[in-house]
Each structure stands twice: as structure tokens, then as C-alpha cells.
Amino acid sequence: MDVSPAELKDILLSDRRLREYCRAAGAELQHMNPHGILYTMIEKRRTRRWSTAIGEASRNRARS
């Protein structure tokens, strides 16, 4: 899996649709955790650009 930091941010923000679906069904999504290849990819690419993408996605998720 080869994605850019911007694409990673989009992947991490994709839970917004799931969160909205859960709310419509009367439930609250508590958290999501990257598993498998995504988690490994994040671990291996510890750069400022990747950290920034993850941090921005986290802040945006907290606002939704």
C-alpha cells in the first residue's frame, strides 16, 4: 500500500460517514483504530509530513 500523507489523512477521515451513520441509528462511534497494513505503514513512515497528516485528521475527527 503506497499512499501519500494527504491520502492517509483522507483515509483516517473516512470514518466521518460511519460516525454519521451510527448517530442516525442512535449509536455513538467511540473510536477507530488503524489495523493491518495501514498501522504498519504509519509505524514505518515516521516523518513530519506523516505526523502532520495524522494530527490534522485527529483534530478534524474531534470536531465532527
Side-chain angles (χ1 to χ4, degrees), residues 1 7-8 11 14 23-24 29 39-40 46 49-50 56:
M1 187 169 163
E7 291 169 320
L8 172 64
I11 291 168
S14 68
R23 284 184 183 155
L29 180 65
Y39 183 82
T40 303
R46 294 182 185 183
R49 290 178 59 209
W50 280 79
E56 288 175 356

Side-chain angles (χ1 to χ4, degrees), residues 14-52:
S14 68
D15 75 323
R16 185 171 292 156
R17 288 183 295 266
L18 178 58
R19 186 179 304 276
E20 290 169 1
Y21 178 82
C22 290
R23 284 184 183 155
E28 190 70 28
L29 180 65
Q30 297 298 315
H31 72 280
M32 290 182 67
N33 187 23
H35 289 277
I37 191 71
L38 183 59
Y39 183 82
T40 303
M41 183 179 60
I42 292 169
E43 274 292 305
K44 288 184 178 180
R45 297 184 181 180
R46 294 182 185 183
T47 67
R48 182 176 297 276
R49 290 178 59 209
W50 280 79
S51 298
T52 298

